[in-house]
Amino acid sequence: MNMRRVASAVAATAIAAGGMVASSGTAEAARISCYASSCNHLNPYKTTCAGDAIRPLPGAKDSDGSVVYLYYSPSCRATWAETWSAPYKTRIVVYRDGGSLHSEDWATYGAHTWTGMINDAGYKSFAVICPPDGLGCAQTSSY
């Protein structure tokens, strides 16, 4: 095969791959997304926010041994709380420092549970977990 044909084949492959990348980008853009205050109380898994989530702090363990983690999405500028396998009626909450905004949920046994998100742009947040009896709650540091 001569060099001209090789170059043409490489160019055609690059154009085809570029089209595939554009298609997946369009599909991603079609997902629901938000930023800062427009994320308040939204499910992070029904937005693009969970895609770049980080867990910037150690979790906090309540008196029953259940752990809550604070998650942060840099692209969405939002935080939320999550827990795994907490007993039924374990309460998790994400608060914005100062208490002006929060989102909460209650676990069902064995479930991966998370709160809605709250705006974190220019604020700090922390997560709280409370066992079903409400005694022995724990909270993460602020981030």
Side-chain angles (χ1 to χ4, degrees):
M1 187 180 261
N2 72 31
M3 291 306 282
R4 188 173 283 167
R5 284 189 181 172
V6 170
S8 294
V10 169
T13 302
I15 290 168
M20 287 171 33
V21 170
S23 295
S24 65
T26 304
E28 184 67 25
R31 291 183 65 196
I32 298 169
S33 195
C34 60
Y35 183 79
S37 63
S38 68
C39 295
N40 285 341
H41 308 292
L42 295 181
N43 180 336
Y45 294 101
K46 291 188 177 179
T47 68
T48 58
C49 302
D52 71 345
I54 60 171
R55 200 167 64 191
L57 303 167
K61 188 183 293 188
D62 71 14
S63 60
D64 281 352
S66 298
V67 179
V68 68
Y69 296 97
L70 181 72
Y71 280 81
Y72 171 70
S73 167
S75 65
C76 295
R77 298 293 303 269
T79 59
W80 64 94
E82 288 193 35
T83 189
W84 288 263
S85 301
Y88 179 67
K89 291 191 177 182
T90 296
R91 181 175 177 242
I92 60 170
V93 187
V94 61
Y95 288 99
R96 188 159 68 195
D97 278 359
S100 60
L101 182 65
H102 74 280
S103 186
E104 62 187 71
D105 203 352
W106 286 263
T108 57
Y109 185 73
H112 172 205
T113 305
W114 58 90
T115 66
M117 296 180 288
I118 61 171
N119 175 12
D120 194 57
Y123 301 98
K124 289 189 175 191
S125 302
F126 60 94
V128 174
I129 188 165
C130 292
D133 64 8
L135 303 173
C137 299
Q139 80 177 48
T140 66
S141 298
S142 294
Y143 179 82

